[in-house]
Amino acid sequence: MLEPLFFDYRSTVQDVLAFGLIIAAFIWGGGPERAVAATWLFVFEILGLLHKLLFGAGYILLDVDPFLAGKDIAAGAIWLLIALYANRNWTLWVAGTQLLAIGAHLARALADAVSPVAYATMIIAPGWVQLLLLGAGLVRHVLREREHGPYRSWRTGRGGRTLPLVARAGGAKRAILRGLAGGNGSTR
């Protein structure tokens, strides 16, 4: 019954799906799709590979791998910020499913009665759901742009002004692009 959850190639299949969606999000996605994909790429793929190369199997504290729990907390915090500022509803679901993984680490650390199968399920299942949500959000974004044309990626404040965090991120992006293009520092 649990074979599909724990089969040998689950991690490889998830990585291939993740990289495919990340590439698609960077090609066809808007700001929120790219931000969610970049978070997955950095937190789960790059930091996970770096941790494996430097530390091997990992360190266990109170039956929980602190690095794995830290990655889940970091991804949850980033996805929560994205969900609050994105002009998309699916990002709220991505952040919400990450709370399940964070709660699994807390439950495992605080209660000895949490079975390893339940713990593994609670930290593995959200990743699959998040990838499906990213894929569905990307498809909806592409279809919406095709039907209605471009639309804003981030929520706006009063009077249509950009919200503070989005404005800072957008300003940094413009400054980097201006610097790469050899701009003279002007704002236009």
Side-chain angles (χ1 to χ4, degrees), residues 44 64 68-80 95-109 119 122-123 126 130:
F44 294 118
V64 174
L68 180 61
K71 285 192 323 183
D72 282 337
I73 291 168
I78 294 167
W79 282 335
L80 180 63
T97 55
Q98 191 61 24
L99 291 176
L100 179 62
I102 294 168
H105 296 299
L106 290 172
R108 180 73 173 173
Y119 177 58
M122 289 188 335
I123 60 173
Q130 289 158 348

Side-chain angles (χ1 to χ4, degrees), residues 64-93:
V64 174
D65 181 355
F67 185 77
L68 180 61
K71 285 192 323 183
D72 282 337
I73 291 168
I78 294 167
W79 282 335
L80 180 63
L81 283 174
I82 292 168
L84 291 174
Y85 287 101
N87 190 28
R88 313 281 195 275
N89 290 332
W90 66 270
T91 56
L92 293 167
W93 286 94

Side-chain angles (χ1 to χ4, degrees), residues 17-154:
L17 177 64
F19 280 117
L21 284 171
I22 288 167
I23 291 168
F26 282 120
I27 293 172
W28 295 294
E33 290 82 13
R34 290 179 183 157
V36 169
T39 302
W40 183 284
L41 177 66
F42 180 72
V43 173
F44 294 118
E45 302 297 337
I46 294 174
L47 287 181
L49 181 63
L50 186 66
H51 179 257
K52 240 184 248 183
L53 291 173
L54 293 177
F55 301 109
Y59 173 74
I60 303 298
L61 178 66
L62 297 173
D63 294 329
V64 174
D65 181 355
F67 185 77
L68 180 61
K71 285 192 323 183
D72 282 337
I73 291 168
I78 294 167
W79 282 335
L80 180 63
L81 283 174
I82 292 168
L84 291 174
Y85 287 101
N87 190 28
R88 313 281 195 275
N89 290 332
W90 66 270
T91 56
L92 293 167
W93 286 94
V94 170
T97 55
Q98 191 61 24
L99 291 176
L100 179 62
I102 294 168
H105 296 299
L106 290 172
R108 180 73 173 173
L110 297 175
D112 294 333
V114 176
S115 76
V117 173
Y119 177 58
T121 303
M122 289 188 335
I123 60 173
I124 292 170
W128 288 98
V129 173
Q130 289 158 348
L131 289 175
L132 292 174
L133 288 166
L134 174 59
L138 181 60
V139 168
R140 289 287 302 141
H141 168 71
V142 169
L143 292 175
R144 192 176 305 119
E145 269 199 337
R146 195 174 286 164
E147 186 176 336
H148 301 291
Y151 63 102
R152 68 179 196 269
S153 293
W154 303 102

